Amino acid sequence: MALSKIWVLAEATDGKVTTSTLELLTKARSLADTVEAIYSGGDADAIAGQLGEYGASKVYTTGDLAGALPGVPVSGAIAALVDGGNAPDAIIAATSYYGRDIAGRLSVKLDRTVITNNTDIEVDGSSLVTTEPVFGGTTDVKTTFTAAGPHLVLVRPKSFVAESAGGSAAAVETIAVPDGGKSAGAKVITRHVEEREGPSLDEAAVVVSGGRGLGEQEKYALIEELAKLLNAAPGASRAIVDAGWVPYSYQVGQTGKVVKPTVYIAAGISGATQHMVGMKGSKNIIAINKDAEAPIFAVSDLGIVGDVHKVLPQLIEALKAR
Amino acid sequence: MNVVVCVKQIPDPADPGALDPTTKTLKRDGKLILDESDSYGVEMALQLVTTAGGGEVTLVSMAPNGEVSGLRTALAMGAAKAILVSDDALAGSDALATAKVLAKAIQRVEGADLVLTATESSDGYTGTVPEQIAGLLDLPSVTFAKSISVEGSTIKIQRQTEAGYDDVECPLPAVVSVTAGVVEPRYPSFKGIMAAKSKPVDTLTVADLGLDASQVGWAGAGQQIVSIAEAPAREAGEVFEDDGTAAEKIVAFLDDLKVL
């Protein structure tokens, strides 16, 4: 039995719908008869084709937010739609900055709980059952909603595989943003983009990540050099991001990017649960760490108990020689 | 400047315990400590008060069994006082109920200019509580702040984004969640630890806050855990002690996968 309607919070960058949004649309199609998207950019017409292709029949757009952070205006617009008698059974978003801010505000406006960090959603009668991995992914907790909908669900990126439904462009409908009053006071003044080299963590077939075991910031150059030779994306553990060695956009883990490449190479990373959650889904894992007891070896396909300062230069030389 | 910092007292992450099979909540019967994620907010609050040249830092926490050990750590760092909400009726509270309790407690702090939280707790990590508190208090909010500076009645924030960071301005009072690693939390001094023992901790119940017990805990949760199961484990592969052939082994492994 399927639900009647699901809304998906859509995100897009430079006129391209994010992969995590396409994953959510794909999943929503299998759960509900009607899937619609909610969007808050000025280019809804430009992305309506992609949203429709993946199953959204309609996209409600607030239009450009003019620098306002999304939580207050987008949750206000959605709550107004729900109050107008247009309520869906569920509203699904990615566990992203955007999704979390809006879901938090919306849960207050609708007085509904929000279940976060999920990797699966199933329909159970008129409710949903969600799956959330805890304790670093060693335990799966399934949760159901006990109150009436709309049910609010946040899903981790890469939980589903995006598949086109071959649908035609979604109809675009502009929705009003209610005046948020003083709560809408936060405004973006300037945006700063930190340039990254090479393929993105999201899409690379190979990811090479470094951690505290590198010893010092300068040694991260080994990770970058290896990544370049493998046409891989360089990544990092939270420890070295917090230490300021590399920007946050490099972080793999629960609070960073979730990656599922063909090969993941973890160098000098012990495998804190925070990190494992973000890379355990990789098809093949190679770990290099000097501590034989490091948890990372429990999930690696090839484990090297050794010094990254010796192994990485040798590996770089061997690849250059080919 | 008066700053409220929401802090969580959690089981030591080095020994996170387990889920109780009967109640399906995290076992919290052991000693609780200050969530490391919250130590950054405490440090940032102390620095803001020092820069402003006046005011104080008030802690707000919700924990079972009147637990104060984590609060004492933050008081020892320099916070002036704390409000602790502890009540058996709170067991099983979801993120929204938690936010309702914290928001009510924050409202008891007179003249609060700013409310700081972590971006997410280390044990529950829903990451929605900061926005829920802001929504309940009808305040503006900025999440994932890397730095905060105050200019009159406005705060300027560097907000972390997927691509880099944004410069954000926000009027006070406001709710701001701060990321880890932006400031170095101070270690409590001996003097601070001694002083913390006599700092006021106001312990309140759900009824003291004017909340109905049906809004919180199991009774108020809009969700119910239906099952807890071990996730399919990844099989560990071969582990070698490096004998100088590690690079060779890795190249062979990559070759087999045809990624070279």
Side-chain angles (χ1 to χ4, degrees):
Chain A
M1 202 187 121
L3 298 180
S4 145
K5 183 163 67 182
I6 289 178
W7 286 347
V8 171
L9 290 193
E11 298 179 57
T13 318
D14 301 328
K16 195 167 169 271
V17 177
T18 61
T19 309
S20 59
T21 299
L22 300 179
E23 291 161 9
L24 295 181
L25 289 171
T26 304
K27 184 64 187 180
R29 271 178 2 228
S30 72
L31 301 173
D33 299 331
T34 303
V35 177
E36 296 172 339
I38 310 273
Y39 185 61
S40 65
D43 56 350
D45 289 314
I47 63 165
Q50 295 164 67
L51 294 172
E53 186 193 336
Y54 283 80
S57 55
K58 190 190 264 189
V59 51
Y60 296 98
T61 178
T62 60
D64 185 61
L65 297 177
L69 293 182
V72 174
V74 178
S75 67
I78 294 172
L81 267 187
V82 169
D83 291 343
N86 203 354
D89 299 291
I91 302 173
I92 300 177
T95 304
S96 60
Y97 292 158
Y98 183 84
R100 296 210 297 194
D101 277 13
I102 295 168
R105 288 273 179 179
L106 190 57
S107 83
V108 171
K109 288 202 159 76
L110 301 179
D111 198 25
R112 296 287 189 283
T113 193
V114 46
I115 304 182
T116 56
N117 287 311
N118 296 291
T119 54
D120 200 9
I121 313 173
E122 300 154 83
V123 174
D124 177 23
S126 65
S127 189
L128 289 173
V129 176
T130 63
T131 303
E132 179 192 359
V134 298
F135 299 138
T138 54
T139 306
D140 283 335
V141 173
K142 287 186 187 244
T143 308
T144 187
F145 292 89
T146 50
H151 305 310
L152 307 180
V153 183
L154 291 178
V155 179
R156 285 192 189 158
K158 299 259 160 74
S159 295
F160 310 118
V161 177
E163 284 168 24
S164 166
S168 53
V172 178
E173 183 178 327
T174 302
I175 50 173
V177 176
D179 180 9
K182 62 173 185 166
S183 70
K187 291 273 186 299
V188 176
I189 308 300
T190 324
R191 294 189 196 275
H192 301 266
V193 174
E194 287 164 345
E195 296 297 337
R196 282 180 53 97
E197 278 188 31
S200 76
L201 279 172
D202 279 328
E203 281 144 27
V206 182
V207 172
V208 183
S209 287
R212 190 73 88 178
L214 290 169
E216 53 181 349
Q217 182 171 10
E218 288 64 36
K219 292 290 191 294
Y220 191 80
L222 291 170
I223 299 294
E224 284 171 322
E225 192 175 1
L226 180 58
K228 210 165 205 174
L229 287 165
L230 293 168
N231 191 31
S237 71
R238 177 172 171 175
I240 71 167
V241 172
D242 282 356
W245 295 4
V246 292
Y248 170 76
S249 57
Y250 284 63
Q251 187 171 319
V252 173
Q254 184 176 290
T255 42
K257 285 269 189 319
V258 176
V259 299
K260 290 191 176 179
T262 307
V263 182
Y264 187 86
I265 303 178
I269 293 177
S270 62
T273 51
Q274 144 76 232
H275 187 74
M276 302 269 244
V277 166
M279 46 66 76
K280 247 173 66 167
S282 305
K283 288 187 193 73
N284 298 279
I285 297 171
I286 301 174
I288 309 162
N289 199 294
K290 65 176 190 297
D291 176 10
E293 302 298 315
I296 192 83
F297 289 125
V299 301
S300 64
D301 300 283
L302 174 62
I304 305 290
V305 180
D307 184 352
V308 288
H309 302 105
K310 283 187 191 148
V311 177
L312 289 180
Q314 285 168 3
L315 181 56
I316 287 165
E317 284 315 308
L319 290 169
K320 276 185 179 164
R322 286 171 66 91
Chain B
M1 173 166 206
N2 293 311
V3 186
V4 175
V5 187
C6 297
V7 297
K8 190 168 182 182
Q9 304 176 85
I10 63 168
D12 190 337
D15 180 22
L19 292 169
D20 185 311
T22 318
T23 65
K24 300 194 174 70
T25 51
L26 196 60
K27 287 184 186 167
R28 289 168 181 280
D29 37 12
K31 181 176 158 21
L32 301 183
I33 62 168
L34 177 68
D35 187 341
E36 194 211 350
S37 305
D38 290 323
S39 61
Y40 300 95
V42 174
E43 178 61 39
M44 205 177 264
L46 291 169
Q47 291 184 13
L48 288 170
V49 167
T50 303
T51 306
E56 62 182 18
V57 176
T58 305
L59 309 169
V60 168
S61 188
M62 168 176 138
N65 310 324
E67 180 65 59
V68 293
S69 52
L71 285 176
R72 293 287 174 212
T73 304
L75 290 169
M77 287 172 72
K81 59 185 197 296
I83 297 176
L84 171 69
V85 187
S86 195
D87 195 319
D88 290 344
L90 291 171
S93 291
D94 60 13
L96 182 56
T98 304
K100 285 176 181 173
V101 168
L102 295 174
K104 283 283 184 194
I106 291 163
Q107 283 176 319
R108 298 171 74 95
V109 181
E110 278 176 39
D113 301 298
L114 177 64
V115 178
L116 295 184
T117 70
T119 54
E120 60 186 16
S121 63
S122 303
D123 62 343
Y125 54 87
T126 64
T128 54
V129 172
E131 284 288 357
Q132 287 169 325
I133 291 172
L136 290 160
L137 297 174
D138 197 27
L139 290 176
S141 56
V142 182
T143 50
F144 293 91
K146 287 163 45 132
S147 73
I148 306 175
S149 60
V150 181
E151 285 182 25
S153 60
T154 301
I155 42 173
K156 294 193 169 186
I157 287 164
Q158 282 191 357
R159 179 182 192 249
Q160 192 168 281
T161 64
E162 315 267 357
Y165 69 95
D166 290 347
D167 291 318
V168 177
E169 286 186 7
C170 182
L172 291 174
V175 178
V176 177
S177 76
V178 302
T179 60
V182 286
V183 288
E184 195 60 49
R186 67 194 68 185
Y187 285 105
S189 64
F190 179 71
K191 205 175 139 196
I193 293 168
M194 294 312 285
K197 291 183 178 170
S198 56
K199 285 181 176 173
V201 176
D202 193 6
T203 304
L204 304 172
T205 63
V206 169
D208 291 338
L209 293 175
L211 283 171
D212 193 293
S214 68
Q215 291 175 272
V216 299
W218 299 115
Q223 64 193 67
Q224 187 180 8
I225 292 177
V226 290
S227 75
I228 298 170
E230 225 170 273
R234 243 193 113 95
E235 297 253 330
E238 289 181 281
V239 180
F240 299 95
E241 191 82 36
D242 179 26
D243 54 1
T245 63
E248 221 170 279
K249 287 197 173 82
I250 295 171
V251 171
F253 186 84
L254 295 172
D255 242 346
D256 275 354
L257 295 170
K258 301 191 178 9
V259 294
L260 293 181

